[in-house]
Amino acid sequence: MGGTFDPVHHGHLVAASEVQARFDLDEVIFVPTGEPWQKGAREVSPAEDRYLMTVIATASNPRFSVSRADIDRDGPTYTVDTLQDLRASRPDAELFFITGADALAQILSWRDAEKLFGLAHFIGVTRPGYTLDDHHLPDGSVSLVEVPALAISSTACRDRVALGEPVWYLVPDGVVQYIQKRNLYADRTIGCRSE
Ligand code: ATP
Ligand code: MG
């Protein structure tokens, strides 16, 4: 499951858990993006902070892990590189790529979109506010899965922190504490959405 995870929240974790159970996956690997090419409009928090928050959030689940593949690769993050790196590190694994309805809608605009479907089976999950649709992606390359609806976004979490509003129970406790400790999102521009 790729994402900016700025910060990781319970919407990500519920989606990952649901897909893990539904497809009986051995492992769900969270892959925080390096330099996100589609998020040019706002400053993204340092990769190391996003990586550590994702580690904190997933530490208690034996089936969850976090990969540094994207943050350790120079340059902007492209999912085709992510999948090729994961394939190289796990040559015998069958790969699935979990993505929310909003990100799935953009998939055809991703670099080397036609290659992606040979590298992994895509799983689109429901997300409040977006319509889940297979966008005529190649036959058999995408599964659509309904997951418990959590209307949480990282954008809203960042805005809440900037306004002094609580993010308890939207993100794991350790992530609330990490945000405070590192003083993340304190003086950002409200409503600076990124997709
Ligand atoms: P931002 O508001 O900064 O874009 P985000 O909440 O969309 O943050 P991302 O890191 O962009 O989080 O998302 C990573 C992946 O998780 C994407 O595929 C996204 O669609 C999915 N996702 C994010 N939030 C949810 C949610 N509440 N329910 C289901 N899927 C989600
Ligand atoms: Mg997003």
Side-chain angles (χ1 to χ4, degrees):
M1 183 171 189
T4 315
F5 302 128
D6 191 17
V8 62
H9 55 67
H10 282 128
H12 299 129
L13 297 165
V14 160
S17 170
E18 194 70 12
V19 173
Q20 186 281 321
R22 194 80 64 89
F23 288 79
D24 195 22
L25 304 180
D26 297 318
E27 189 181 6
V28 179
I29 310 167
F30 290 74
V31 193
T33 52
E35 192 187 313
W37 62 277
Q38 287 183 320
K39 299 221 172 181
R42 70 171 184 91
E43 288 243 335
V44 172
S45 302
E48 220 55 49
D49 286 325
R50 294 182 291 106
Y51 171 75
L52 285 174
M53 287 191 282
T54 310
V55 169
I56 290 165
T58 56
S60 60
N61 188 324
R63 296 224 180 256
F64 285 1
S65 64
V66 188
S67 165
R68 297 185 61 93
D70 285 351
I71 62 177
D72 286 346
R73 191 185 320 101
D74 282 339
T77 291
Y78 297 103
T79 297
V80 65
D81 298 329
T82 311
L83 290 173
Q84 272 161 351
D85 286 356
L86 290 177
R87 163 132 306 180
S89 67
R90 295 165 173 76
D92 299 325
E94 185 185 354
L95 295 180
F96 295 75
F97 191 87
I98 305 170
T99 172
D102 57 316
L104 188 64
Q106 296 173 358
I107 222 167
L108 290 172
S109 72
W110 293 359
R111 176 181 273 197
D112 294 321
E114 67 298 341
K115 263 201 216 162
L116 292 173
F117 306 106
L119 288 163
H121 182 78
F122 279 71
I123 300 174
V125 300
T126 48
R127 179 173 189 181
Y130 301 91
T131 305
L132 185 61
D133 184 286
D134 69 5
H135 301 279
H136 309 291
L137 296 171
D139 264 3
S141 60
V142 187
S143 304
L144 303 181
V145 173
E146 180 159 357
V147 299
L150 294 188
I152 306 174
S153 69
S154 300
T155 301
C157 293
R158 295 190 299 271
D159 285 350
R160 293 181 69 91
V161 174
L163 290 167
E165 293 168 1
V167 288
W168 290 108
Y169 317 116
L170 299 175
V171 305
D173 294 359
V175 172
V176 178
Q177 290 162 327
Y178 187 90
I179 291 168
Q180 285 169 354
K181 167 175 149 176
R182 293 277 296 141
N183 198 27
L184 299 178
Y185 318 128
D187 33 49
R188 60 181 298 275
T189 315
I190 308 297
C192 186
R193 257 202 78 82
S194 46
E195 292 308 325

